[in-house]
Amino acid sequence: MEYVVTTDELTRKFGSFTAVDRLSINIRRGEIFGFLGPNGSGKSTTIRMLCGILEPTSGRGAVLGYDLTREPEKIKQKIGYMSQRFSLYDDLTVYENLEFYAGLYNIPHALRKKRIGEMIDMAHLAGRENMLAANLSGGWKQRLALGCAIISGPAILFLDEPTSGISPTSRRMFFKIIQRLAAEGTTVMVTTHYMDEAERCRNIAFISEGALIANDTPNNLKNNIIKGCLVELDIPGAMDRIAGIEKLPYVRECSIHGPLLHVLIDSETHMAELDRFTGGNSIKISPSLEDVFISLARKKRQVS
């Protein structure tokens, strides 16, 4: 099994603050690896270390066989990197932005026109080559930024919150492009807040306060983290009822999901008792990744 990213107790401190705490992960060639966690959990710091931008404080890591500490410049030459703050030049056209990044990555002149054309096709920007980047919608800008990030044909692509702030339709289109790249052999590591995107990843790592708290496939996480019977409740004043429900002896967890409550109980036999207590009608449901994330974060807080 070939791993293109490996870390062993990778750590980054800023003064007395530990941003990434002894992180150990492995990423296979050609997989989409989801990296999830709340704001400030250490996701971006990890990505910056893996890209050779930020030096680890301790621990070890390698990307494509290159050591993070000793060979960061070699890593930078082989990867693509895109964040929500990826720099497009608003006063340049779509074509000119791609041309600029082709030059930045030292793509031979004989290949540039072909690669730019491939990126325009990939990003579904045909017919918009002469539009200024400033005039593109959020979704188009994100796809152009992706084209600029991968125009050199990197073996691995790091995406840090790439779909933040764009429409659900644009997010779905963006992720379909990512899936196609992975199918063609590109390894993708992506940080995201969106659970529908996380579902499409082959493996997911959850990080909280810099520490890894889970790492598995979406199905395994849903089947193994949530123990008991999960039910959905639609009751008036749901938020105000959580504390009371959590005091019930057969209730393990209770969390808000939009207007609904998700309640984890010991077994299906307690559903009737829960309904009598709340005046609601509980419905048994399958756990989502959001349920997994909430459960993991709660357990992490209890341990801390």
Side-chain angles (χ1 to χ4, degrees), residues 199-214:
E199 290 276 4
R200 298 179 183 138
C201 298
R202 179 174 173 178
N203 275 283
I204 298 171
F206 281 99
I207 187 172
S208 179
E209 296 175 358
L212 185 70
I213 53 176

PDB file of all heavy atoms in Angstrom, residues 199-214:
ATOM      1  N   GLU A 199     -18.796  13.250   3.090  1.00  0.00           N
ATOM      2  CA  GLU A 199     -19.345  11.931   2.727  1.00  0.00           C
ATOM      3  C   GLU A 199     -18.689  11.375   1.467  1.00  0.00           C
ATOM      4  O   GLU A 199     -18.652  10.166   1.262  1.00  0.00           O
ATOM      5  CB  GLU A 199     -20.858  12.043   2.482  1.00  0.00           C
ATOM      6  CG  GLU A 199     -21.701  12.292   3.721  1.00  0.00           C
ATOM      7  CD  GLU A 199     -22.048  11.007   4.467  1.00  0.00           C
ATOM      8  OE1 GLU A 199     -21.567   9.938   4.065  1.00  0.00           O
ATOM      9  OE2 GLU A 199     -22.793  11.096   5.455  1.00  0.00           O
ATOM     10  N   ARG A 200     -18.174  12.260   0.608  1.00  0.00           N
ATOM     11  CA  ARG A 200     -17.597  11.818  -0.660  1.00  0.00           C
ATOM     12  C   ARG A 200     -16.121  11.475  -0.538  1.00  0.00           C
ATOM     13  O   ARG A 200     -15.495  11.076  -1.522  1.00  0.00           O
ATOM     14  CB  ARG A 200     -17.784  12.909  -1.718  1.00  0.00           C
ATOM     15  CG  ARG A 200     -19.250  13.213  -2.011  1.00  0.00           C
ATOM     16  CD  ARG A 200     -19.370  14.323  -3.037  1.00  0.00           C
ATOM     17  NE  ARG A 200     -20.755  14.670  -3.281  1.00  0.00           N
ATOM     18  CZ  ARG A 200     -21.221  15.908  -3.404  1.00  0.00           C
ATOM     19  NH1 ARG A 200     -20.375  16.909  -3.311  1.00  0.00           N
ATOM     20  NH2 ARG A 200     -22.486  16.139  -3.624  1.00  0.00           N
ATOM     21  N   CYS A 201     -15.561  11.652   0.653  1.00  0.00           N
ATOM     22  CA  CYS A 201     -14.151  11.331   0.869  1.00  0.00           C
ATOM     23  C   CYS A 201     -13.987   9.842   1.164  1.00  0.00           C
ATOM     24  O   CYS A 201     -14.870   9.208   1.736  1.00  0.00           O
ATOM     25  CB  CYS A 201     -13.596  12.140   2.049  1.00  0.00           C
ATOM     26  SG  CYS A 201     -13.649  13.932   1.787  1.00  0.00           S
ATOM     27  N   ARG A 202     -12.851   9.303   0.776  1.00  0.00           N
ATOM     28  CA  ARG A 202     -12.574   7.892   1.068  1.00  0.00           C
ATOM     29  C   ARG A 202     -12.281   7.697   2.549  1.00  0.00           C
ATOM     30  O   ARG A 202     -12.709   6.727   3.165  1.00  0.00           O
ATOM     31  CB  ARG A 202     -11.388   7.402   0.236  1.00  0.00           C
ATOM     32  CG  ARG A 202     -11.023   5.953   0.508  1.00  0.00           C
ATOM     33  CD  ARG A 202      -9.944   5.465  -0.437  1.00  0.00           C
ATOM     34  NE  ARG A 202      -9.489   4.136  -0.060  1.00  0.00           N
ATOM     35  CZ  ARG A 202      -8.583   3.441  -0.734  1.00  0.00           C
ATOM     36  NH1 ARG A 202      -8.038   3.958  -1.811  1.00  0.00           N
ATOM     37  NH2 ARG A 202      -8.208   2.261  -0.328  1.00  0.00           N
ATOM     38  N   ASN A 203     -11.512   8.609   3.109  1.00  0.00           N
ATOM     39  CA  ASN A 203     -11.210   8.581   4.537  1.00  0.00           C
ATOM     40  C   ASN A 203     -11.376   9.970   5.116  1.00  0.00           C
ATOM     41  O   ASN A 203     -11.205  10.974   4.418  1.00  0.00           O
ATOM     42  CB  ASN A 203      -9.771   8.091   4.790  1.00  0.00           C
ATOM     43  CG  ASN A 203      -9.677   6.587   4.833  1.00  0.00           C
ATOM     44  OD1 ASN A 203     -10.048   5.959   5.823  1.00  0.00           O
ATOM     45  ND2 ASN A 203      -9.206   6.002   3.752  1.00  0.00           N
ATOM     46  N   ILE A 204     -11.693  10.008   6.405  1.00  0.00           N
ATOM     47  CA  ILE A 204     -11.893  11.283   7.094  1.00  0.00           C
ATOM     48  C   ILE A 204     -11.126  11.265   8.404  1.00  0.00           C
ATOM     49  O   ILE A 204     -11.176  10.283   9.154  1.00  0.00           O
ATOM     50  CB  ILE A 204     -13.387  11.526   7.414  1.00  0.00           C
ATOM     51  CG1 ILE A 204     -14.221  11.593   6.140  1.00  0.00           C
ATOM     52  CG2 ILE A 204     -13.562  12.803   8.220  1.00  0.00           C
ATOM     53  CD1 ILE A 204     -15.707  11.602   6.413  1.00  0.00           C
ATOM     54  N   ALA A 205     -10.407  12.352   8.662  1.00  0.00           N
ATOM     55  CA  ALA A 205      -9.768  12.549   9.964  1.00  0.00           C
ATOM     56  C   ALA A 205     -10.461  13.722  10.646  1.00  0.00           C
ATOM     57  O   ALA A 205     -10.636  14.782  10.038  1.00  0.00           O
ATOM     58  CB  ALA A 205      -8.281  12.824   9.799  1.00  0.00           C
ATOM     59  N   PHE A 206     -10.869  13.520  11.892  1.00  0.00           N
ATOM     60  CA  PHE A 206     -11.429  14.599  12.702  1.00  0.00           C
ATOM     61  C   PHE A 206     -10.343  15.099  13.644  1.00  0.00           C
ATOM     62  O   PHE A 206      -9.692  14.304  14.339  1.00  0.00           O
ATOM     63  CB  PHE A 206     -12.612  14.102  13.538  1.00  0.00           C
ATOM     64  CG  PHE A 206     -13.891  13.966  12.777  1.00  0.00           C
ATOM     65  CD1 PHE A 206     -14.302  12.732  12.306  1.00  0.00           C
ATOM     66  CD2 PHE A 206     -14.704  15.066  12.535  1.00  0.00           C
ATOM     67  CE1 PHE A 206     -15.496  12.586  11.609  1.00  0.00           C
ATOM     68  CE2 PHE A 206     -15.883  14.936  11.844  1.00  0.00           C
ATOM     69  CZ  PHE A 206     -16.289  13.698  11.374  1.00  0.00           C
ATOM     70  N   ILE A 207     -10.167  16.426  13.678  1.00  0.00           N
ATOM     71  CA  ILE A 207      -9.165  17.028  14.562  1.00  0.00           C
ATOM     72  C   ILE A 207      -9.868  18.038  15.466  1.00  0.00           C
ATOM     73  O   ILE A 207     -10.782  18.749  15.045  1.00  0.00           O
ATOM     74  CB  ILE A 207      -8.031  17.694  13.737  1.00  0.00           C
ATOM     75  CG1 ILE A 207      -6.897  18.181  14.618  1.00  0.00           C
ATOM     76  CG2 ILE A 207      -8.553  18.799  12.855  1.00  0.00           C
ATOM     77  CD1 ILE A 207      -5.677  18.676  13.842  1.00  0.00           C
ATOM     78  N   SER A 208      -9.474  18.063  16.721  1.00  0.00           N
ATOM     79  CA  SER A 208     -10.051  19.006  17.683  1.00  0.00           C
ATOM     80  C   SER A 208      -8.950  19.477  18.617  1.00  0.00           C
ATOM     81  O   SER A 208      -8.209  18.650  19.166  1.00  0.00           O
ATOM     82  CB  SER A 208     -11.172  18.326  18.477  1.00  0.00           C
ATOM     83  OG  SER A 208     -11.712  19.214  19.432  1.00  0.00           O
ATOM     84  N   GLU A 209      -8.812  20.795  18.769  1.00  0.00           N
ATOM     85  CA  GLU A 209      -7.769  21.391  19.612  1.00  0.00           C
ATOM     86  C   GLU A 209      -6.398  20.823  19.262  1.00  0.00           C
ATOM     87  O   GLU A 209      -5.580  20.534  20.134  1.00  0.00           O
ATOM     88  CB  GLU A 209      -8.102  21.173  21.097  1.00  0.00           C
ATOM     89  CG  GLU A 209      -9.386  21.876  21.512  1.00  0.00           C
ATOM     90  CD  GLU A 209      -9.788  21.566  22.943  1.00  0.00           C
ATOM     91  OE1 GLU A 209      -9.078  20.765  23.602  1.00  0.00           O
ATOM     92  OE2 GLU A 209     -10.797  22.109  23.401  1.00  0.00           O
ATOM     93  N   GLY A 210      -6.178  20.626  17.956  1.00  0.00           N
ATOM     94  CA  GLY A 210      -4.878  20.191  17.474  1.00  0.00           C
ATOM     95  C   GLY A 210      -4.646  18.699  17.499  1.00  0.00           C
ATOM     96  O   GLY A 210      -3.645  18.218  16.954  1.00  0.00           O
ATOM     97  N   ALA A 211      -5.550  17.931  18.133  1.00  0.00           N
ATOM     98  CA  ALA A 211      -5.333  16.499  18.300  1.00  0.00           C
ATOM     99  C   ALA A 211      -6.282  15.690  17.417  1.00  0.00           C
ATOM    100  O   ALA A 211      -7.451  16.054  17.234  1.00  0.00           O
ATOM    101  CB  ALA A 211      -5.521  16.104  19.758  1.00  0.00           C
ATOM    102  N   LEU A 212      -5.789  14.583  16.889  1.00  0.00           N
ATOM    103  CA  LEU A 212      -6.606  13.675  16.088  1.00  0.00           C
ATOM    104  C   LEU A 212      -7.536  12.902  17.012  1.00  0.00           C
ATOM    105  O   LEU A 212      -7.095  12.278  17.973  1.00  0.00           O
ATOM    106  CB  LEU A 212      -5.695  12.709  15.327  1.00  0.00           C
ATOM    107  CG  LEU A 212      -6.369  11.760  14.340  1.00  0.00           C
ATOM    108  CD1 LEU A 212      -6.905  12.527  13.131  1.00  0.00           C
ATOM    109  CD2 LEU A 212      -5.362  10.691  13.881  1.00  0.00           C
ATOM    110  N   ILE A 213      -8.857  12.939  16.714  1.00  0.00           N
ATOM    111  CA  ILE A 213      -9.793  12.225  17.577  1.00  0.00           C
ATOM    112  C   ILE A 213     -10.495  11.073  16.845  1.00  0.00           C
ATOM    113  O   ILE A 213     -11.139  10.249  17.478  1.00  0.00           O
ATOM    114  CB  ILE A 213     -10.842  13.178  18.205  1.00  0.00           C
ATOM    115  CG1 ILE A 213     -11.560  14.024  17.145  1.00  0.00           C
ATOM    116  CG2 ILE A 213     -10.188  14.071  19.249  1.00  0.00           C
ATOM    117  CD1 ILE A 213     -12.673  14.905  17.707  1.00  0.00           C
ATOM    118  N   ALA A 214     -10.354  11.001  15.534  1.00  0.00           N
ATOM    119  CA  ALA A 214     -10.901   9.865  14.777  1.00  0.00           C
ATOM    120  C   ALA A 214     -10.324   9.894  13.368  1.00  0.00           C
ATOM    121  O   ALA A 214     -10.034  10.969  12.831  1.00  0.00           O
ATOM    122  CB  ALA A 214     -12.418   9.914  14.718  1.00  0.00           C
TER     123      ALA A 214
END
